[in-house]
Amino acid sequence: MQIFSTFEYSSYIELAVSELERKGIKKEDIFIVPLNTRTEARRILDSLHRADGVSLIDLGMSLATAFSVIGASIGFKLSWGPIYWGIISAFIGFILGLGIKLFMFKVIKKKQRLLRGKHSEVILIVDCNAMDAEVVEQTLWKNLALGVSKVRADRL
């Protein structure tokens, strides 16, 4: 049976490994893999085939609609008429909404992403008997694993 777990990079990994060795798991059956973290910044604009669920134009479209209605209403009293003023105010509303959304994504959300929760940086794989699986799992949880999963070797 193989047990996979993820950890933050800390001394708890070493504590977990030494505790597993004390409980009879051989060093050859413990495999540790460090993960490479993202070094480049995330892309702002999505492509046709990749989307991250963040929309930059939703607020812009909403403000464009609201501004165009207001601009068209006021345009009846202005010299160019309601159609031109509706289009001009829709463009202004869209640019304003896009600017607000870009500011929120680049400044505010970036700080939240940096400060938010824990990130798994190391994967620990333990190859053990089915009888030892529960002990290994409890040891990993006790040493602050972020996630633990068991895979039976006969089903691979």
Side-chain angles (χ1 to χ4, degrees):
M1 177 170 276
Q2 289 184 331
I3 299 179
F4 295 83
S5 62
T6 58
F7 284 88
E8 281 186 324
Y9 187 75
S10 66
S11 60
Y12 289 106
I13 302 164
E14 296 295 327
L15 291 172
V17 169
S18 63
E19 192 171 337
L20 288 172
E21 287 176 354
R22 271 188 271 126
K23 291 186 178 181
I25 305 296
K26 296 178 197 161
K27 226 179 213 181
E28 297 83 32
D29 294 334
I30 300 172
F31 188 63
I32 299 174
V33 181
L35 296 174
N36 295 331
T37 55
R38 179 182 282 266
T39 56
E40 73 230 16
R42 293 175 62 189
R43 295 186 327 199
I44 293 177
L45 298 176
D46 296 333
S47 68
L48 180 64
H49 302 288
R50 288 200 157 176
D52 58 358
V54 176
S55 174
L56 294 177
I57 64 168
D58 57 350
L59 183 62
M61 290 296 185
S62 301
L63 288 181
T65 303
F67 277 43
S68 67
V69 169
I70 293 170
S73 300
I74 294 172
F76 281 108
K77 296 180 183 176
L78 300 175
S79 63
W80 286 356
I83 294 176
Y84 284 126
W85 284 109
I87 293 171
I88 292 169
S89 56
F91 182 73
I92 292 170
F94 180 76
I95 296 299
L96 181 67
L98 185 67
I100 291 170
K101 205 66 163 178
L102 276 173
F103 176 77
M104 286 174 51
F105 184 73
K106 291 297 259 182
V107 176
I108 296 171
K109 297 283 184 180
K110 184 177 181 181
K111 289 180 185 175
Q112 288 177 355
R113 275 195 312 255
L114 292 176
L115 297 176
R116 193 184 316 151
K118 301 177 178 179
H119 305 287
S120 59
E121 296 177 348
V122 177
I123 297 174
L124 177 70
I125 303 170
V126 180
D127 197 13
C128 64
N129 298 330
M131 294 180 289
D132 296 334
E134 192 63 35
V135 173
V136 171
E137 184 178 5
Q138 292 305 319
T139 303
L140 295 174
W141 281 122
K142 189 173 77 173
N143 287 295
L144 302 178
L146 297 177
V148 176
S149 179
K150 293 188 269 188
V151 178
R152 299 190 89 156
D154 59 346
R155 292 187 183 175
L156 292 175

